Amino acid sequence: ELCGRSAECSIHLEVIVDRPLQVFHVEVEVKDINDNPPVFPATQKNLFISETRALDSHFSLEGASDADVGTNALLTYRLSPNEYFSLKVPTNDEQVKPLELVLKKPLDREVASEVLLVLKATDGGKPELTGTVEILITVLDVNDNAPVFDKAVYRVKLLENARNGTLVIRLNASDLDEGPNSHILYFFETDTSPNIEASFRIDSDSGEIKVNGKIDFEETKLWKIQIKAIDKGNPPMFGHCTILIEVLDINDNAPELVITSLALAVREDAPLGTVIALISVTDPDSSANGQVTCTLTSYVPFKLVSTFKNYYSLVLDSTLDRESISHYELVVTARDGGSPSLWATASVSVEVADVNDNAPAFPQPEYTVFVK
Ligand SMILES: *[C@@H]1O[C@H](CO)[C@@H](O)[C@H](O)[C@H]1NC(C)=O
Ligand SMILES: *[C@@H]1O[C@H](CO)[C@@H](O)[C@H](O)[C@H]1NC(C)=O
């Protein structure tokens, strides 16, 4: 306190003695003892360092001060063991320079977002005194991580005729960065077909893909949508994934019947097996929903014969007799295997053509006529 940092410290006193009057000069020399520890300007120091800083970058630090003098104020510094920084202490003849931290391993915010160091100053007194400062290094994020989907391909099943607004999938990519660098927006890839954009919509913020138009199994059975995720970093980074949407059939199409009839009357003596009409059925639904069986009105002398998948012939099954029935109105019913099943009918009319198979007949074999 008396002499500050000067090494010499003495107090000059004059001692006056009475009888006889005399003046004594007294010089009191104050010797330093190590009663002051090294003191840093603050107990904690915050540094903000970008994760892209190059190796060997230097960061200045203020050193400690020690109110003592000489070796009692001769400071040595020690940095707590750590993998990222080393300490550079100026040599004695350049004491004006500050201490420096030197980066010796690249920082990565995604591995360590903060590094806490303790810098300790020790003076040269006996016993020695120490002072410490905590250095908290916050690693600043840069956009060095792209958004990542947890799968490259997502498979989704969707019923056809799903209503407008039905949720197909909620995408969720992750980005190791923080703040805007990890804020992800979702889009269809730029070359997405107008067809996909008409049928589905994507919410850029939530990543939800919803049905927007008509989903028709008979038109498209599998949709393949390419998605990109973009973070809000500058410059942004991209992630990609593919969504395969398998459309599941529902029985929304009734069978259709086409009857090709010969439109001629059938002779009543036509042999069994004569083909009367050709019938083809179609149903665009898949599997059971599209499997059609045909049936014919019961108790008629005709039957359906399957000639090929979904093709039938209407053939004569027993003998005709125009004299008892000259006209048949037949109904063909086609029914699919869906549940509930859908059906369609078509009618065929068959005229029986006469053949001269009846001789003229008299009502009575014998007539007895009385003539006067
Ligand atoms: C996305 O995934 C992360 C972890 O992977 C989770 O914390 C978050 O809740 C998910 N978000 C949604 C909307 O599913
Ligand atoms: C489906 O709903 C969205 C939003 O409610 C609307 O913009 C779109 O036109 C609808 N699509 C159809 C085909 O009605």
Side-chain angles (χ1 to χ4, degrees):
E1 265 173 39
L2 286 172
C3 307
R5 301 211 51 83
S6 67
E8 300 291 308
C9 188
S10 53
I11 300 166
H12 185 88
L13 303 174
E14 282 178 3
V15 180
I16 299 168
V17 182
D18 236 357
R19 258 172 269 156
L21 185 67
Q22 232 176 331
V23 177
F24 291 90
H25 291 271
V26 178
E27 193 87 15
V28 179
E29 195 182 325
V30 182
K31 285 231 174 204
D32 184 41
I33 60 162
N34 193 22
D35 57 351
N36 287 286
V39 176
F40 285 96
T43 55
Q44 185 167 25
K45 174 152 180 76
N46 294 316
L47 286 178
F48 297 88
I49 301 178
S50 160
E51 59 177 325
T52 49
R53 286 301 291 263
L55 280 186
D56 247 12
S57 296
H58 289 217
F59 307 93
S60 329
L61 289 177
E62 281 176 88
S65 56
D66 191 315
D68 297 320
V69 292
T71 53
N72 289 341
L74 192 64
L75 300 181
T76 53
Y77 292 96
R78 281 268 296 283
L79 190 63
S80 55
N82 74 95
E83 45 185 332
Y84 295 103
F85 293 95
S86 60
L87 186 68
K88 189 174 173 219
V89 183
T91 53
N92 271 342
D93 50 350
E94 46 176 5
Q95 280 287 356
V96 284
K97 281 195 175 177
L99 296 172
E100 284 178 321
L101 287 178
V102 180
L103 188 62
K104 57 176 186 175
K105 179 183 167 185
L107 291 168
D108 185 352
R109 192 203 64 82
E110 287 72 40
V111 173
S113 62
E114 285 184 341
V115 180
L116 181 65
L117 304 174
V118 177
L119 178 61
K120 184 172 179 183
T122 307
D123 65 23
K126 278 189 188 4
E128 60 190 25
L129 294 175
T130 59
T132 57
V133 59
E134 275 185 359
I135 305 167
L136 180 64
I137 295 161
T138 305
V139 182
L140 299 179
D141 189 41
V142 298
N143 194 21
D144 55 353
N145 287 283
V148 179
F149 288 97
D150 58 357
K151 287 191 216 164
V153 178
Y154 294 89
R155 289 169 197 277
V156 188
K157 290 183 180 358
L158 180 67
L159 274 181
E160 72 167 318
N161 301 348
R163 291 164 55 130
N164 189 358
T166 302
L167 180 65
V168 179
I169 188 174
R170 177 181 289 117
L171 294 169
N172 189 9
S174 53
D175 190 315
L176 292 175
D177 294 319
E178 65 176 2
N181 293 340
S182 70
H183 193 153
I184 302 172
L185 295 178
Y186 302 88
F187 298 98
F188 290 139
E189 206 65 76
T190 30
D191 55 357
T192 298
S193 79
N195 214 356
I196 291 178
E197 291 186 17
S199 304
F200 298 96
R201 59 176 189 264
I202 186 166
D203 183 317
S204 300
D205 283 311
S206 67
E208 288 180 344
I209 295 181
K210 290 183 173 169
V211 171
N212 194 52
K214 180 157 168 51
I215 305 300
D216 188 0
F217 172 85
E218 286 72 38
E219 253 172 46
T220 313
K221 296 179 175 49
L222 185 72
W223 295 90
K224 181 175 167 192
I225 307 181
Q226 310 277 6
I227 300 293
K228 66 181 171 193
I230 310 178
D231 65 29
K232 287 184 173 170
N234 183 19
M237 295 191 77
F238 298 82
H240 304 270
C241 76
T242 302
I243 301 171
L244 292 179
I245 302 174
E246 187 190 337
V247 179
L248 303 179
D249 185 38
I250 61 174
N251 193 19
D252 58 347
N253 289 283
E256 277 176 33
L257 275 168
V258 176
I259 297 189
T260 315
S261 101
L262 307 177
L264 292 175
V266 182
R267 285 167 62 98
E268 58 180 320
D269 65 349
L272 299 192
T274 302
V275 176
I276 317 278
L278 299 173
I279 299 164
S280 69
V281 293
T282 50
D283 188 322
D285 290 321
S286 74
S287 56
N289 292 339
Q291 256 156 29
V292 183
T293 46
C294 280
T295 51
L296 185 67
T297 323
S298 313
Y299 312 117
V300 290
F302 304 97
K303 67 175 178 186
L304 287 175
V305 176
S306 171
T307 52
F308 190 66
K309 186 177 180 290
N310 290 348
Y311 287 89
Y312 296 85
S313 301
L314 177 67
V315 300
L316 192 58
D317 192 32
S318 61
T319 50
L320 295 173
D321 182 10
R322 192 202 62 80
E323 287 69 34
S324 39
I325 302 177
S326 64
H327 179 88
Y328 292 91
E329 221 26 83
L330 305 177
V331 177
V332 180
T333 305
R335 190 177 284 279
D336 67 27
S339 156
S341 71
L342 298 173
W343 49 275
T345 59
S347 54
V348 191
S349 58
V350 180
E351 292 294 336
V352 182
D354 188 36
V355 170
N356 192 17
D357 54 352
N358 289 283
F362 291 93
Q364 294 171 227
E366 197 177 272
Y367 292 85
T368 306
V369 182
F370 299 92
V371 179
K372 268 198 179 164

